[in-house]
Amino acid sequence: KNSQPVTSGITSPTIQVFDSAGNNLIAVIAMTQIGTTGTYRYLATTSERLVSGTAYLARVQATIDGATRTWYQPCSRDST
């Protein structure tokens, strides 16, 4: 909020990762809170890990203050 990280009041956090063709690498799945930090994670299985040379988009969604918020983040295993 107002350029400050939100670490409380977050519910139903999910992540989805897909490639540039729209194929799911990770279908929509719930994330788990990391202790009491207000941050979340999902531990990918071996078959859900990024492949070198492929561009992906991560879509993270959660409910904050009663409103659904969605963020998109490009991701890749390749270095720049």
Side-chain angles (χ1 to χ4, degrees):
K1 287 182 165 179
N2 300 323
S3 300
Q4 298 300 313
V6 175
T7 58
S8 63
I10 302 167
T11 58
S12 305
T14 61
I15 188 168
Q16 175 186 20
V17 180
F18 51 92
D19 65 19
S20 59
N23 301 308
N24 278 330
L25 179 65
I26 300 173
V28 177
I29 192 159
M31 293 190 291
T32 304
Q33 187 170 1
I34 302 170
T36 58
T37 62
T39 57
Y40 294 81
R41 71 175 180 197
Y42 171 72
L43 298 176
T45 65
T46 301
S47 64
E48 296 172 327
R49 298 211 172 121
L50 302 180
V51 175
S52 183
T54 304
Y56 296 93
L57 198 60
R59 176 185 170 269
V60 179
Q61 188 171 44
T63 301
I64 301 171
D65 290 339
T68 300
R69 312 289 182 178
T70 305
W71 299 267
Y72 290 91
Q73 178 68 45
C75 50
S76 171
R77 210 175 106 171
D78 302 322
S79 60
T80 55

